[in-house]
């Protein structure tokens, strides 16, 4: 199960990074960015679920656990908000959305990196 968890978490990183930085580079939120955000969220949810299953469902109230929950909630809110912004079809909102995307992406990287580091050094997360 570990290889599947690693692949799905890394797919989340790939999709989310592509979506956020393509949106920034293109200067406006587009429908394909939204699809990529939802794919990133889906892969993150699957990967997190697999990792939780591997740890016997043991959620720990520590740095990694708290930032992980915050990140997945923010990813969900980000994708929902992107859906609302696109549905509103207001150009200014679509042009400014990347600011929120970059903040959420940076926060999401914290548990991604901490999970990887803690796993490499063998420290309990």
């Amino acid at each position: 199960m570990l290889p599947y968890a690693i692949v799905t978490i890394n797919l989340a990183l790939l999709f989310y990074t592509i979506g956020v930085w393509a949106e920034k580079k293109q200067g406006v939120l587009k429908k394909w960015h939204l699809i990529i955000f939802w794919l990133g969220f889906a892969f993150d949810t699957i990967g997190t679920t697999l990792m939780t299953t591997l740890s016997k469902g043991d959620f720990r109230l520590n740095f990694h656990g708290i930032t992980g929950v915050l990140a997945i909630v923010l990813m969900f809110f980000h994708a929902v908000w992107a859906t609302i912004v696109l549905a509103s079809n207001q150009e200014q909102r679509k042009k400014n959305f990347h600011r929120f995307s970059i903040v959420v992406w940076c926060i999401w990287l914290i548990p991604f990196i901490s999970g990887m580091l803690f796993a490499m050094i063998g420290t309990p997360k």
Side-chain angles (χ1 to χ4, degrees):
M1 189 178 328
L2 182 60
Y4 297 116
I6 292 169
V7 167
T8 55
I9 288 291
N10 281 286
L11 284 171
L13 174 67
L14 177 70
F15 281 112
Y16 213 54
T17 301
I18 289 171
V20 167
W21 291 103
E23 176 204 356
K24 166 83 170 126
K25 185 174 181 180
Q26 292 176 351
V28 65
L29 178 63
K30 297 180 179 180
K31 186 177 181 179
W32 78 268
H33 300 132
L34 176 65
I35 293 166
I36 297 296
F37 295 155
W38 280 111
L39 283 170
F41 173 74
F43 280 114
D44 189 52
T45 302
I46 293 166
T48 300
T49 301
L50 291 172
M51 292 288 188
T52 302
T53 302
L54 285 168
S55 69
K56 298 173 181 58
D58 184 25
F59 174 78
R60 294 186 181 127
L61 191 60
N62 57 21
F63 178 80
H64 183 71
I66 292 167
T67 59
V69 169
L70 174 65
I72 205 161
V73 168
L74 280 173
M75 278 182 89
F76 177 74
F77 181 73
H78 176 252
V80 169
W81 189 247
T83 304
I84 292 167
V85 167
L86 277 176
S88 76
N89 204 27
Q90 295 178 14
E91 287 306 312
Q92 197 58 41
R93 289 174 82 187
K94 292 192 287 187
K95 286 180 182 177
N96 291 331
F97 192 79
H98 71 274
R99 295 177 187 155
F100 180 56
S101 296
I102 292 170
V103 170
V104 173
W105 180 79
C106 287
I107 293 169
W108 183 82
L109 282 179
I110 294 169
F112 179 86
I113 293 169
S114 72
M116 190 172 44
L117 290 174
F118 291 142
M120 287 189 317
I121 62 175
T123 304
K125 297 175 237 157

